[in-house]
């Protein structure tokens, strides 16, 4: 089954908004075995929408439109759909009652513009939207399926997950596809590829492997396609376990896990607490840790020691040490970790100091130099990194490497 | 002049990568007076690329392709371009020497795949790419311009800014367009629209206003189009000054400014220092402040007091106060701000405490409740906010409102 996505909206064509809907939708369609052939972004214009529909009709079996259904727009999408299907708009009582309910709850008066949103093409099967005023629409014509969805990402995703994916699986004969994403950290793509080459070569032909690199991380996605869903799941699980035997130290999670959620789980399981002392990362590690809901159960807090004065007064870093070795040194990172660990009375603590840039670099400590220490029950370990010139990337990579060093230490204990 | 952007790459169609190139390119084209009519994403496939080229040729005056030029790909873009223009690939000595140089610098051996990148269609005018191996290409056919660019965002942007925009301005007769973006914070879109309605109504017809809302902020973009560039600039400046008289308190900057960079400038100008004490935002405010290069000149650091113990021991918040009023209260926020201000010896300090969610809410302090205090030379001011249910949005909006309260206090002093 080949699909085409048509996104409607001038805001995309003037570059005001990045079209994230299409990528999300493509992923979801791929997961149920539908391949996206083309993505087309067109303007809020009757004839442009109509010609995009006609062109997509020649290419794809499934056409999904997003956007162009808002109350302040001139509703060109629905008019174009009516023209394409040779039908007319009719008033839908349920859709109108839903709009009324939404407005009553928000204490807003309903306008004639909003009432227009309750008119839907006569030939469509409506996809009720309880969290917004624009309903989705499902059409069929000559064995092809057309779906029109609101452009608001939250509403579009809700409709797709609650109604569209199920209905597509029933409507089309789709292959069974199982996906599993294995998350690795601390090793680059080409090194990883070398280490797991033999494992990759022995994968059965119905399992495909994709490398998805991002700064500091590589995600490995296994996609298995076949007739027996249970068999696919078992084989993917078996291959995952094999991989785990080869690179146990690099795999930190699966699917939607993050390094910070993994650490949270490790600490909770062991009933341990954490604190941090950050210089160059300036609170970014703390931000990642506290972005996990429930992190207050293991995270005590941080000393963001951006100035050397604070390092000395709050973390008891030796002033002489800073003067002799500089603030970016193994010893200072260690004293920061030890200092906050004692101060906040936690089992684990991270200390980090580095040159994020663009200023502050020197011959022997260029921009991108970072020292990371983790203090734990068994003592302190430290690691040195050299990243690049880009400030925001240095901050991000430093934080990931610090969280990974912490993860390793918890697992080693 | 109407443009169409064609992005080539399977990674976009499987949703692995969000197409940010198109939005960036659309903005740049808009700024020089070229309107993007359609964006089309197609697969790495010879006939698909060819049919997309033919369809775009019927719609647009300018067709820009990105992607599909990498060394590991089967080079379908260049083959499709040759077919479309009825020409053939020829070896380009300068392009090859550039690839050789790049590889020598990185100490990598050149492969035959890389050598292939030096072959370009005979009819193109090459756009030399000194930072990557894939060169850009400029074609003309029947008064239309076709440009093929690498898909790596960094290389694409470099070529567009250094070569393409200039050449387009020379090639087409483009209108003069001046853009100015005015950044506001602390007021919603509809309230803002009401307050500035009269100003909006008196704008000359050659100046268009667009509202670009994002959580916590509204950007106002003025676009002026006309014959005399200098006159346009003067009029936009005049109108900006008029707006500044109406809403001085809401405008924090222009163009690429951020709230955190504006605060940095205000503090540097006045030779003042800052510290923060964060609970619910968990380091995000500190992260924003330190994302500005050079922030170590005014930012001392933060106490991330995620636990109540740390609030009491490090910030001298009264234990009784927390027991009686709860950690989310005006008094605690004030003591946090005062505590860190004294401890880190700064002129300004932010204290913030709230319920980020999803847990921790209560009847009188639901999820989304936040107290923000700013301590400064003239005393302490506090503000109370009620955001929504979403944890990450609560953190982001709390941080923005805290930075804005600080900005107001610095300006009021």
């Amino acid at each position: 089954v080949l699909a085409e996505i048509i996104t409607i909206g001038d805001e995309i064509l003037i570059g005001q908004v990045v079209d994230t809907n299409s990528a999300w939708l493509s992923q979801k369609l791929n997961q149920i075995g539908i391949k996206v052939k083309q993505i087309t972004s067109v303007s809020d214009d009757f004839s442009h929408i109509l010609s995009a529909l006609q062109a997509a009709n020649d290419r794809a079996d499934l056409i999904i439109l997003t956007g162009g259904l808002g109350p302040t727009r001139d509703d060109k999408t629905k008019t174009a759909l009516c023209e394409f299907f040779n039908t007319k708009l009719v008033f839908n009582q349920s859709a109108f009652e839903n709009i009324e309910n939404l407005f009553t709850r928000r204490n807003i008066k309903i306008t004639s513009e909003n009432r227009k949103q309750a008119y839907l093409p006569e030939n469509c099967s409506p996809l009720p939207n309880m969290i917004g005023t624009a309903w989705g629409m499902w059409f069929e014509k000559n064995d092809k399926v057309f779906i029109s969805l609101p452009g608001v990402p939250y509403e579009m995703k809700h409709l797709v997950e609650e109604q569209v994916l199920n209905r597509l699986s029933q409507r089309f004969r789709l292959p069974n596809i199982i996906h599993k994403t294995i998350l690795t950290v601390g090793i680059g793509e080409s090194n990883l590829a070398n280490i797991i080459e033999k494992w990759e070569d022995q994968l059965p032909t119905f399992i495909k492997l994709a490398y998805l690199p991002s700064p500091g991380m590589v995600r490995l996605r296994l996609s298995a396609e076949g007739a027996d869903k249970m068999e696919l799941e078992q084989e993917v699980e078996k291959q995952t376990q094999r991989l785990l035997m080869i690179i146990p130290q690099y795999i930190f999670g699966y699917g939607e896990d993050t390094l910070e959620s993994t650490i949270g789980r490790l600490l909770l399981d062991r009933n341990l607490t954490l604190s941090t002392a950050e210089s160059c990362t300036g609170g970014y590690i703390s931000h990642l840790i506290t972005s996990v809901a429930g992190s207050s159960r293991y995270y005590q807090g941080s000393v963001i020691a951006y100035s050397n004065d604070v390092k000395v007064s709050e973390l008891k870093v030796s002033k002489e040490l800073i003067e002799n070795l500089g603030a970016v040194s193994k010893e200072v990172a260690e004293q920061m970790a030890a200092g906050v660990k004692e101060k906040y009375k936690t089992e684990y603590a991270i200390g980090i100091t580095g040159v994020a840039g663009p200023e502050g670099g020197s011959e022997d400590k260029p921009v991108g130099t970072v020292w990371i220490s983790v203090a734990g029950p068994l003592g302190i370990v430290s690691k040195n990194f050299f990243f690049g010139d880009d400030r925001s990337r240095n901050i991000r990579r430093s934080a990931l490497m610090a969280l990974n060093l912490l993860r390793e230490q918890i697992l080693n204990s």
Side-chain angles (χ1 to χ4, degrees), chain A:
Chain A
V1 178
L2 286 180
E4 176 154 344
I5 298 171
I6 300 175
T7 60
I8 299 162
D10 294 339
E11 66 278 17
I12 289 168
L13 297 174
I14 62 172
Q16 182 184 319
V17 161
V18 173
D19 172 23
T20 54
N21 278 352
S22 295
W24 185 88
L25 207 44
S26 301
Q27 277 186 4
K28 291 289 165 188
L29 293 174
N30 255 277
Q31 280 167 13
I32 60 167
I34 295 175
K35 208 180 151 194
V36 175
K37 167 92 176 157
Q38 180 164 323
I39 299 167
T40 308
S41 299
V42 301
S43 54
D44 267 315
D45 175 270
F46 172 82
S47 61
H48 198 181
I49 297 170
L50 188 60
S51 66
L53 271 171
Q54 285 156 346
N57 187 41
D58 294 338
R59 275 187 294 258
D61 315 299
L62 165 67
I63 292 98
I64 300 185
L65 299 88
T66 68
L69 302 176
T72 58
R73 307 255 178 109
D74 289 340
D75 239 339
K76 283 153 191 156
T77 303
K78 284 196 281 191
T79 326
L81 285 165
C82 283
E83 175 77 17
F84 182 75
F85 293 116
N86 193 19
T87 186
K88 63 177 196 295
L89 291 172
V90 294
F91 184 72
N92 184 304
Q93 184 62 30
S94 315
F96 183 67
E97 281 166 13
N98 178 56
I99 295 171
E100 274 190 325
N101 284 339
L102 285 172
F103 277 67
T104 311
R105 242 186 292 156
R106 292 179 201 162
N107 226 343
I108 311 174
K109 239 192 117 190
I110 205 159
T111 67
S112 61
E113 292 296 312
N114 299 119
R115 197 182 150 85
K116 269 170 60 184
Q117 290 196 285
Y119 282 83
L120 303 177
E122 196 167 21
N123 69 328
C124 87
S125 148
L127 302 171
N129 176 6
M130 294 305 157
I131 57 174
T133 50
W135 280 26
M137 294 162 264
W138 177 292
F139 304 88
E140 306 230 0
K141 184 186 178 185
N142 300 337
D143 249 6
K144 302 202 170 190
V145 172
F146 298 76
I147 303 168
S148 173
L149 297 170
V152 181
Y154 173 62
E155 298 178 23
M156 185 278 291
K157 290 177 185 178
H158 189 76
L159 280 177
V160 169
E161 284 179 332
E162 299 293 319
Q163 302 181 54
V164 172
L165 293 178
N166 263 339
R167 205 158 155 180
L168 286 174
S169 300
Q170 284 161 19
R171 172 63 179 72
F172 291 105
R173 193 180 308 180
L174 300 173
N176 285 306
I177 298 192
I178 302 294
H179 290 277
K180 178 152 193 163
T181 309
I182 302 161
L183 310 168
T184 76
V185 65
I187 182 167
E189 184 179 0
S190 50
N191 277 337
L192 183 60
N194 280 335
I195 294 178
I196 66 174
E197 193 181 3
K198 277 188 190 158
W199 171 81
E200 193 175 340
D201 288 343
Q202 61 81 49
L203 285 173
T205 51
F206 60 88
I207 297 188
K208 299 265 172 281
L209 174 69
Y211 288 78
L212 316 177
S214 61
M217 290 194 183
V218 179
R219 290 174 296 151
L220 297 171
R221 193 184 55 218
L222 293 174
S223 307
E225 186 174 338
D228 185 338
K229 195 167 178 177
M230 187 116 92
E231 196 186 312
L232 294 178
E233 273 167 359
Q234 283 170 354
E235 186 63 30
V236 165
E237 188 52 34
K238 193 174 96 186
Q239 296 298 343
T240 305
Q241 290 307 322
R242 276 193 191 158
L243 184 67
L244 193 55
M245 305 265 281
I246 305 168
I247 50 163
Q249 71 277 37
Y250 298 125
I251 296 177
F252 71 87
Y254 303 94
E256 301 299 309
D257 287 345
T258 60
L259 211 37
E260 50 273 23
S261 70
T262 297
I263 285 166
R265 210 171 44 235
L266 291 176
L267 291 169
L268 271 183
D269 285 351
R270 290 161 177 75
N271 202 21
L272 297 172
T273 58
L274 172 67
S275 60
T276 55
E278 301 183 51
S279 182
C280 60
T281 44
Y284 188 61
I285 296 177
S286 184
H287 167 56
L288 289 179
I289 294 168
T290 59
S291 68
V292 178
S295 48
S296 59
R297 277 176 282 172
Y298 48 85
Y299 188 57
Q300 290 296 300
S302 181
V303 174
I304 313 296
Y306 219 57
S307 74
N308 288 340
D309 287 353
V310 172
K311 289 185 187 78
V312 172
S313 68
E314 297 306 313
L315 296 168
K316 297 187 186 154
V317 174
S318 150
K319 203 171 173 177
E320 291 71 42
L321 208 64
I322 294 179
E323 277 160 11
N324 293 333
L325 299 173
V328 179
S329 57
K330 183 183 179 184
E331 290 74 8
V332 169
E334 288 184 350
Q335 292 194 354
M336 289 173 70
V340 78
K341 182 176 184 293
E342 197 192 324
K343 196 184 191 78
Y344 286 9
K345 299 182 188 68
T346 56
E347 279 87 15
Y348 280 95
I350 293 171
I352 184 164
T353 176
V355 191
E359 295 162 23
S362 64
E363 183 84 9
D364 59 323
K365 283 168 192 168
V367 168
T369 306
V370 179
W371 273 100
I372 302 171
S373 297
V374 170
L378 300 179
I380 299 188
V381 291
S382 299
K383 261 188 161 175
N384 191 12
F385 292 91
F386 298 95
F387 301 123
D389 283 336
D390 186 272
R391 181 179 178 85
S392 65
R393 263 170 65 173
N394 286 341
I395 291 173
R396 165 117 188 113
R397 298 196 65 171
S398 299
L400 288 183
M401 291 306 110
L403 290 175
N404 193 41
L405 187 59
L406 170 64
R407 183 185 69 88
E408 289 171 357
Q409 292 312 303
I410 300 173
L411 289 176
N412 287 347
S413 292

